[in-house]
Amino acid sequence: MRISYFVPPALLVSARERGLLAGIALDESLTPNSAAQLAGLLSGELDLVVTAIDNLFEWSRTGAELRLLGQVEATTPLSLIAAPGIRSLAELDGRTIGVDAYDNGFALVARDRLQRAGVRAQWIEVGGVSERFEALADRSIAATLLGPPFEERARAAGFVELFRVQDEFPTFPGQGLVARADVLGTPEFEHLFSALCASGLLPVEREGLNLLIRFRSRLGLLPPNFDLSATLVHEDPSLDITRRGAS
């Protein structure tokens, strides 16, 4: 099984430490960005990815047969971090903000927040969290969204936290585990999936999905006829969002 992620997810680390991955030929790789993850899934070079759940909205446009298995974390801690001297969202007007992908992923929470604040920033695609941190550090961008441990490193270097996503959006969902539909049911997948479930793979929270829908609706980015239930995968009822009080 070939899996890609931005940073090693805790449940995968836990599964390995507990010996639950014994007998699984697992090829792990760090991804530079979500576009590379989609390319790998479409080409068959990747079987699973850990990524922002929001990516599925855009990825669905490609016709890719992908399934959302669960959340690897309840939420993804994120902060909008700016260069020293920038003290408010208003001061980002006209400045450059680095994102992984402009139309999907974590960028949307920042775009939504700045749009509602009346801030018109310039958005450039830089890459994953490591690349965004480096771009902020060398001042090629004025701000970006960072999570642990990068936001702590940025604050220690004098960069400024403008807002925390979880303070304003407590139901913001964590990253999800996404698989190609054709690997489901294979012995290798079932072994890995069982190990990850035993190590803390979480059900997908409907409240978080609804928040992503609101972001996309306000930004005019909601794909037509997108059915969230179509991204549901496994017969394990504990990971079925349709059983979690969906409205």
Side-chain angles (χ1 to χ4, degrees):
M1 301 298 294
R2 297 155 298 180
I3 185 170
S4 164
Y5 43 69
F6 290 91
V7 294
L11 81 169
L12 188 60
V13 174
S14 174
R16 178 176 294 103
E17 291 175 346
R18 297 169 60 192
L20 300 179
L21 301 183
I24 301 177
L26 191 60
D27 181 4
E28 304 174 48
S29 61
L30 291 174
T31 186
N33 52 52
S34 57
Q37 288 183 321
L38 175 60
L41 291 166
L42 289 172
S43 68
E45 294 178 1
L46 291 174
D47 301 309
L48 304 99
V49 300
V50 176
T51 197
I53 291 174
D54 179 81
N55 287 335
L56 285 171
F57 287 85
E58 288 300 316
W59 290 0
S60 69
R61 296 179 189 270
T62 69
E65 289 294 325
L66 305 175
R67 297 294 183 266
L68 177 60
L69 305 178
Q71 292 181 205
V72 302
E73 54 192 356
T75 188
T76 300
L78 289 171
S79 296
L80 185 66
I81 305 293
I86 298 175
R87 298 293 174 180
S88 69
L89 293 179
E91 293 179 45
L92 288 177
D93 198 71
R95 304 233 189 182
T96 301
I97 300 179
V99 296
D100 170 34
Y102 179 66
D103 284 334
N104 54 293
F106 298 147
L108 298 193
V109 66
R111 288 180 56 193
D112 177 81
R113 182 65 181 84
L114 267 63
Q115 177 176 283
R116 290 186 293 110
V119 175
R120 295 187 177 183
Q122 299 178 32
W123 304 85
I124 64 169
E125 295 184 354
V126 176
V129 62
S130 297
E131 289 79 8
R132 297 198 306 276
F133 174 79
E134 293 301 329
L136 185 64
D138 66 22
R139 306 299 203 275
S140 58
I141 58 175
T144 192
L145 283 169
L146 296 176
F150 296 97
E151 92 279 14
E152 292 99 332
R153 291 170 57 187
R155 283 198 299 268
F159 290 83
V160 181
E161 182 181 65
L162 296 181
F163 80 89
R164 290 185 69 254
V165 169
Q166 280 66 33
D167 288 344
E168 301 197 28
F169 308 106
T171 61
F172 186 76
Q175 293 191 88
L177 180 65
V178 176
R180 294 200 337 264
D182 61 304
V183 306
L184 304 183
T186 63
E188 296 84 359
F189 167 80
E190 293 299 335
H191 187 172
L192 176 60
F193 185 70
S194 295
L196 296 178
C197 287
S199 300
L201 185 65
L202 301 170
V204 178
E205 293 289 346
R206 173 63 70 172
E207 294 85 354
L209 293 178
N210 287 339
L211 178 64
L212 298 179
I213 289 173
R214 289 197 295 274
F215 288 157
R216 284 191 162 271
S217 179
R218 289 195 290 254
L219 293 168
L221 294 172
L222 198 60
N225 304 316
F226 184 77
D227 181 5
L228 286 172
S229 65
T231 66
L232 266 283
V233 272
H234 211 264
E235 295 178 358
D236 183 344
S238 69
L239 295 178
D240 187 344
I241 61 174
T242 63
R243 297 174 181 263
R244 301 186 65 82
S247 59

